[in-house]
Amino acid sequence: MASTPVGFIGGSGIYEALDLSNVREESVTTPYGDPSAPITVGELAGREVAFLPRHGRNHQYSPTEVPYRANMHALKQLGCERVLSSNAVGSLDESLPPRTLVVPDQTFDRTRSRPYTFFGDGVVVHQEFAEPYCPHLSEQLAGHADATDADCVRGGTYVCIEGPQFSTRAESEWYRAQGWEVIGMTAVPEAKLAREAELCYATVAGVTDWDVWKGEVDGRLSEVLENAAHNETAIKELLEATIRGLPDERACDCGSALEGTVNTPADAIPEETRERVELLLGDYL
């Protein structure tokens, strides 16, 4: 079996469709609280997969309330080095109709009420984030597009809004005017925290609807849920093929992302803070 598990953050429908064996449950506590749910670990093609339902098992956490830090820290505690995720998104691009899959390479952050970093409280870390998704892991996802019949597009900007409300027409038209491709509510701070945890992170976004610049408002949630359920099969096929095809070793710089980013002398960091960030910063202090 490959030495390190692959994390997967997404919907339970996709997880339940994965062909996993030797399934067990791991209850993990982190310095940032408990994750959204206990983590389910199973085996696929000789590799462990650690699954975490982002919104909880009963979809009880809104996009603002998701315990993003605890989720990412818990996967790090279990030994994950790479994390794949799935997102439901609206389309801002005429060429990306519902039921299209997108592997984005950029984000634009419009959130405002979430914890964005593991650090603070006496330790300052300035993390580079020019490329929010791991290029190598994203390429692995996009490179297995032939595993599904759905159209799969590589590249594009994911606009992340606070939610849980959808956008106004003015907002939607403005995002579209910037040339951005999809809009959702969960890419941030997940991608930022993955980078701070030195984890490779990439996502496949399933388009569920046209955003309000084009789409109809009446019955929108029903459309979103129907297309999200349809997308689950294609996303499952893509994820499974990607996991089977992952090389054992990482071929990127994500594993040393924190090198040179700590701006606080080690002896000036409070002991309580040092203990909290030990898993993340221990090698640099």
Side-chain angles (χ1 to χ4, degrees):
M1 183 181 298
S3 57
T4 60
V6 176
F8 170 50
I9 302 174
S12 58
I14 298 169
Y15 155 72
E16 289 165 359
L18 290 174
D19 185 22
L20 298 182
S21 60
N22 299 325
V23 175
R24 69 182 190 277
E25 190 172 278
E26 296 275 359
S27 294
V28 182
T29 298
T30 84
Y32 303 92
D34 294 333
S36 298
I39 298 173
T40 304
V41 182
E43 295 175 19
L44 173 66
R47 184 185 294 276
E48 281 195 332
V49 178
F51 167 70
L52 186 55
R54 180 185 288 113
H55 295 281
R57 286 182 171 169
N58 298 304
H59 208 102
Q60 67 267 36
Y61 295 109
S62 76
T64 299
E65 296 168 333
V66 170
Y68 294 100
R69 293 191 296 184
N71 286 352
M72 204 60 69
H73 201 280
L75 293 175
K76 177 86 169 177
Q77 287 180 225
L78 290 180
C80 294
E81 292 183 347
R82 289 175 276 204
V83 176
L84 296 164
S85 78
S86 64
N87 305 96
V89 296
S91 176
L92 299 166
D93 188 321
E94 195 80 58
S95 69
L96 300 174
R99 304 190 176 187
T100 302
L101 304 185
V102 180
V103 180
D105 58 3
Q106 282 294 320
T107 61
F108 191 88
D109 183 8
R110 291 278 292 172
T111 66
R112 58 185 179 275
S113 300
R114 308 176 185 194
Y116 299 101
T117 180
F118 289 113
F119 308 119
D121 295 323
V123 58
V124 177
V125 175
H126 294 293
Q127 176 64 62
E128 293 286 354
F129 198 57
E131 302 296 335
Y133 298 102
C134 171
H136 183 257
L137 192 55
S138 294
E139 194 58 46
Q140 290 288 318
L141 267 177
H144 287 89
D146 58 359
T148 175
D149 291 334
D151 290 334
C152 184
V153 177
R154 171 75 168 97
T157 296
Y158 178 134
V159 183
C160 190
I161 63 174
E162 185 64 46
Q165 299 86 0
F166 295 117
S167 297
T168 67
R169 291 191 190 279
E171 290 166 338
S172 185
E173 291 282 7
W174 189 79
Y175 302 145
R176 176 171 157 76
Q178 310 315 304
W180 299 331
E181 281 75 23
V182 295
I183 182 169
M185 301 180 187
T186 52
V188 177
E190 213 165 78
K192 293 185 176 184
L193 296 169
R195 184 62 49 80
E196 286 192 341
E198 298 189 324
L199 301 174
C200 300
Y201 177 82
T203 194
V204 52
V207 177
T208 57
D209 62 309
W210 298 108
D211 201 46
V212 71
W213 67 273
K214 178 181 176 75
E216 296 294 330
V217 174
D218 293 341
R220 184 179 185 186
L221 182 58
S222 296
E223 178 189 9
V224 167
L225 295 177
E226 179 182 348
N227 286 329
H230 181 274
N231 287 342
E232 283 182 351
T233 298
I235 292 173
K236 171 260 181 186
E237 293 168 342
L238 180 60
L239 287 171
E240 195 167 275
T242 300
I243 292 168
R244 290 180 183 276
L246 280 177
D248 288 342
E249 301 297 327
R250 296 196 277 182
C252 61
D253 297 325
C254 297
S256 57
L258 289 172
E259 187 173 346
T261 66
V262 183
N263 206 41
T264 307
D267 59 6
I269 299 172
E271 186 61 30
E272 183 179 350
T273 298
R274 287 181 67 113
E275 291 177 2
R276 189 178 66 249
V277 302
E278 173 63 28
L279 179 66
L280 307 171
L281 282 185
D283 290 344
Y284 301 101
L285 300 181

